[in-house]
Amino acid sequence: MSQTSNSTTPAETGWLENDFQRDDERNIWALKTASGGFGYSDGDRSENYVLSVIQNATDTSVMSDELAAGMKDWPSTYHLHHQRANLLRAVSDHLSGPILEIGAGCGLLTRFMGEEGHQVFALEGSGRRAATIGARCRDLDNVTVINANLQDLKTDQKFQTITLIGVLEYARVYFSDGSDSDPIDQMLQYVADHLTDDGVLILAIENQLGLKYFAGYAEDHLNYPMAGIEGHYTDKSVVTFGREVLANRLSGVGLTGQRFAYPFPDYKFPEAVLFDPAMTPDIGGRFAALVAGAAASDRQKPKHLHFALSKALQPVMENGLGGDVANSFLVVASKSDITASANDYAVYYGNGDRKKHYLKRVAFQGSADDIVVDRQRLTDDPMPQNEDLTQILEREPFLDGQLWTQALHDIMARDKWRVADVTTWAQRWIAALGATVGIDTANCLDSSQQIPGKWLDAIPKNMILDKANNAHFVDLEWHQSDDIPLGYLIVRGLSDAFNLMEMTGANGEIHHLLTLVRTVCHQLKMPLSETQIMSYWDHEAALQRKISTRPGKYRRNQMLKTRVAPQAALKAVKRQGKRDKAVRIITTQYRTLLGKLTK
């Protein structure tokens, strides 16, 4: 069911006038008779801060640099970061007005749908949050903000699209239609009753059985590990579901047409969204590396993990289980069948902390035997002029093979891994680099040797070894106009690969980034002093300042603190039968909360 919106005119609000009145100062519609209010909040200080940032901004668009500059902690980043809009970008062909957005929060997704030209009714129970949306969308006549709880919106109005983004899980806490049935079913029935016959629900929710929760992530709402997996929900608490139960709940209210999609690392900050064709056993393994890369960017990663998600994802995807244990679901549901292209496998947006003119959208499309990777710019913002750095976005075939950073994970995940094995791994990359660039890498490497700047991105994370053991470099996105020293490219590639490590085996020889890079370079017969390595890191930091809105992690003082996969230390401690401070705290919290829930 592909739909195109024509909702570019001001919203029709006549149906609101019986129960609501216009508050021009806050740019919202409020109930004429006050209801019981709404208790959900990130705290007064956080929410007042977000409101002030938006009120004081001259540009409140999704991509606003002013709003981005206001991000300082988790709540403000959640409410201001444009990356959250990737969720709806991935299914934008299903969006059509009029749209009812239930639980609109502080309005980032409201703003996105409004900018797309849709007629949007943003329903938000919190008066402060409703005012925040009003300020955010003050220049959009096609957006109407309604300050009310869902049970107070008593109308026969039908909508072409209704959204429940991070809302359904709270139904048992905040919603009731007065009946004795489960509030989850009550909320879904409300949605079904207010959809047009061919309308769609767009739903996003955490997966109760998400793989990251098995690995040790805290349940997002109860905030302690294993809470969802062990089913510590009650009939009065927040609740999430696995795929089968969620699908049955939707079918139970007549929403039998369903298209599931899978945002990674989760629906809050999607870096990649995969569709069902990419989750089949014959295809899934080919997308495991893409999923692993996106999962590694999770902004709420715990200090310690039970296992490496990047390693577990390969067999999970190869066995067709990727959809069942995805961390979140993005579902399009309807009373009628939903038409979706069998040629759409995934869409990838990459690092959301890039400067907006460098953001991209990568679509994986085609037949199973001929998947094409199509890269496009995400925005129309003008590119910087006269810079020595150029972004190249190309259309390429999707290569089937082993991502070379995954081979490094295989080495360093073993107990008692050796630096010599890492060096052997690096030699394979450098040999491929030499063959591609046309330089001799068989003998002593000359760190000062200059190579064309178009090979700036020929690093391990962009190298794939095909089934015939041939190396290919893909996604060579960044080109530098000047030549670059071979030493810088090798340090850049090694540092990047080591920073991508999620977990190492116990008793590894080296865990500090500087020492590991220097030791491998020495074994590659390219001895570098600490001063040389740090000068290359300075060069990389300068590059990242051109690309990223948050280049701080590439600064020399930050890199000097960096350890490679610090989880290794925890693993060693556990094997000695000890518990470190983090484990003791988690265990105490778990037992305390479990005791409260079972009283």
Side-chain angles (χ1 to χ4, degrees):
M1 182 185 299
S2 180
Q3 302 159 340
T4 302
S5 174
N6 296 314
S7 327
T8 56
T9 57
E12 295 293 336
T13 57
W15 59 274
L16 287 171
E17 294 174 358
N18 285 338
D19 299 320
F20 295 86
Q21 58 190 0
R22 172 77 181 166
D23 181 341
D24 292 329
E25 183 178 352
R26 295 191 294 166
N27 190 29
I28 67 173
W29 287 76
L31 283 165
K32 293 178 180 178
T33 303
S35 67
F38 184 72
Y40 187 88
S41 171
D42 288 325
D44 289 344
R45 179 177 294 181
S46 293
E47 301 216 348
N48 287 335
Y49 172 75
V50 171
L51 174 59
S52 68
V53 168
I54 291 174
Q55 286 177 328
N56 293 325
T58 56
D59 175 13
T60 60
S61 66
V62 170
M63 291 292 183
S64 168
D65 288 331
E66 289 179 86
L67 298 189
M71 296 184 297
K72 65 175 185 177
D73 52 20
W74 169 253
S76 58
T77 299
Y78 180 78
H79 293 301
L80 299 174
H81 203 302
H82 67 80
Q83 189 176 354
R84 288 185 54 222
N86 291 345
L87 185 77
L88 294 182
R89 284 192 181 98
V91 291
S92 59
D93 56 331
H94 292 291
L95 280 173
S96 183
I99 299 171
L100 175 62
E101 181 188 15
I102 299 174
C106 290
L108 189 143
L109 297 180
T110 314
R111 180 77 202 196
F112 172 77
M113 293 185 286
E115 288 180 10
E116 292 291 298
H118 301 298
Q119 194 177 83
V120 184
F121 295 91
L123 180 69
E124 172 53 46
S126 162
R128 179 168 46 200
R129 289 189 169 197
T132 303
I133 306 171
R136 189 173 217 148
C137 299
R138 56 187 180 260
D139 59 330
L140 297 179
D141 291 339
N142 54 321
V143 173
T144 300
V145 185
I146 307 168
N147 178 203
N149 297 323
L150 181 58
Q151 53 263 47
D152 296 321
L153 190 64
K154 303 181 188 304
T155 177
D156 294 329
Q157 178 75 15
K158 301 286 187 178
F159 301 92
Q160 192 67 30
T161 307
I162 298 179
T163 68
L164 291 172
I165 308 300
V167 171
L168 182 65
E169 55 266 44
Y170 290 98
R172 291 177 180 172
V173 181
Y174 295 111
F175 181 72
S176 175
D177 64 6
S179 68
D180 293 331
S181 60
D182 187 339
I184 297 293
D185 298 324
Q186 295 175 26
M187 182 175 282
L188 291 177
Q189 189 62 61
Y190 183 100
V191 168
D193 291 344
H194 289 80
L195 279 175
T196 59
D197 290 342
D198 61 345
V200 298
L201 163 66
I202 297 181
L203 164 71
I205 189 172
E206 296 88 352
N207 179 7
Q208 179 184 10
L209 303 177
L211 190 64
K212 75 176 186 180
Y213 303 120
F214 286 96
Y217 279 70
E219 199 276 350
D220 296 71
H221 314 95
L222 302 181
N223 201 32
Y224 61 98
M226 299 298 167
I229 290 169
E230 295 182 353
H232 295 165
Y233 301 124
T234 73
D235 58 0
K236 300 294 184 182
S237 76
V238 174
V239 61
T240 62
F241 307 101
R243 174 177 169 144
E244 189 68 17
V245 172
L246 180 60
N248 289 337
R249 292 271 191 167
L250 292 167
S251 296
V253 296
L255 300 177
T256 54
Q258 298 170 12
R259 182 192 189 193
F260 272 73
Y262 312 94
F264 291 93
D266 56 29
Y267 80 83
K268 299 178 185 71
F269 286 95
E271 192 164 297
V273 179
L274 277 71
F275 303 105
D276 272 328
M279 295 299 196
T280 59
D282 55 330
I283 296 292
R286 300 173 67 181
F287 283 94
L290 177 73
V291 173
S297 69
D298 199 309
R299 294 170 186 264
Q300 295 179 295
K301 188 181 298 181
K303 185 177 180 181
H304 303 299
L305 294 173
H306 303 322
F307 57 82
L309 281 166
S310 56
K311 290 287 292 173
L313 279 164
Q314 189 70 39
V316 163
M317 297 288 285
E318 287 176 346
N319 282 278
L321 297 174
D324 293 302
V325 296
N327 298 328
S328 293
F329 300 124
L330 171 60
V331 190
V332 181
S334 178
K335 301 169 189 175
S336 55
D337 291 340
I338 295 177
T339 302
S341 173
N343 294 328
D344 289 337
Y345 292 93
V347 59
Y348 175 73
Y349 298 98
N351 189 336
D353 290 331
R354 286 185 178 190
K355 293 180 179 177
K356 58 186 178 182
H357 46 262
Y358 289 136
L359 293 167
K360 63 183 178 180
R361 179 184 186 275
V362 184
F364 295 79
Q365 300 171 318
S367 64
D369 297 327
D370 185 25
I371 300 176
V372 174
V373 184
D374 185 28
R375 301 178 179 90
Q376 303 286 341
R377 293 185 64 213
L378 189 61
T379 74
D380 295 326
D381 287 82
M383 300 294 283
Q385 298 297 313
N386 302 317
E387 278 202 9
D388 61 353
L389 185 70
T390 304
Q391 183 186 35
I392 306 295
L393 300 179
E394 295 182 323
R395 184 180 174 91
E396 295 179 313
F398 183 41
L399 290 178
D400 191 10
Q402 183 183 37
L403 195 63
W404 201 233
T405 47
Q406 192 61 49
L408 178 64
H409 283 226
D410 293 343
I411 293 168
M412 295 181 71
R414 305 184 198 125
D415 288 346
K416 299 182 181 179
W417 59 271
R418 301 183 308 149
V419 175
D421 295 328
V422 175
T423 302
T424 300
W425 166 87
Q427 287 171 331
R428 183 68 179 88
W429 158 53
I430 292 171
L433 175 66
T436 302
V437 177
I439 59 174
D440 179 17
T441 60
N443 300 305
C444 182
L445 298 173
D446 180 0
S447 62
S448 64
Q449 182 171 2
Q450 299 294 301
I451 61 175
K454 69 178 183 179
W455 301 113
L456 178 64
D457 251 1
I459 56 179
K461 73 176 179 183
N462 293 328
M463 177 173 146
I464 293 176
L465 215 62
D466 66 21
K467 293 180 179 179
N469 209 37
N470 298 314
H472 306 266
F473 288 104
V474 299
D475 193 19
L476 301 179
E477 180 177 359
W478 301 109
H479 290 200
Q480 196 159 298
S481 58
D482 297 330
D483 289 349
I484 55 177
L486 177 62
Y488 162 59
L489 183 57
I490 290 177
V491 169
R492 177 175 198 256
L494 291 176
S495 300
D496 178 80
F498 296 148
N499 274 326
L500 289 173
M501 283 296 302
E502 187 178 13
M503 182 181 290
T504 68
N507 302 318
E509 295 171 301
I510 297 174
H511 291 294
H512 283 95
L513 179 63
L514 174 61
T515 309
L516 184 55
V517 170
R518 188 179 180 188
T519 303
V520 171
C521 287
H522 180 80
Q523 293 185 0
L524 289 170
K525 299 181 181 179
M526 189 185 72
L528 295 175
S529 67
E530 289 188 13
T531 301
Q532 286 176 297
I533 292 174
M534 288 189 288
S535 71
Y536 290 143
W537 281 347
D538 290 341
H539 189 117
E540 181 67 14
L543 171 68
Q544 294 300 329
R545 283 195 293 272
K546 296 176 183 177
I547 297 170
S548 176
T549 59
R550 296 187 173 185
K553 67 179 180 179
Y554 297 98
R555 292 174 185 152
R556 178 190 294 196
N557 62 344
Q558 187 64 37
M559 298 290 271
L560 285 171
K561 299 176 188 175
T562 301
R563 290 174 57 86
V564 179
Q567 290 87 349
L570 176 69
K571 191 171 182 180
V573 167
K574 280 186 174 180
R575 290 193 172 189
Q576 296 167 16
K578 300 178 181 177
R579 292 176 182 265
D580 68 1
K581 183 178 179 181
V583 172
R584 289 197 301 272
I585 291 172
I586 290 172
T587 302
T588 301
Q589 290 176 339
Y590 178 91
R591 289 173 176 168
T592 301
L593 287 167
L594 182 58
K596 290 180 180 179
L597 287 170
T598 54
K599 282 183 179 179

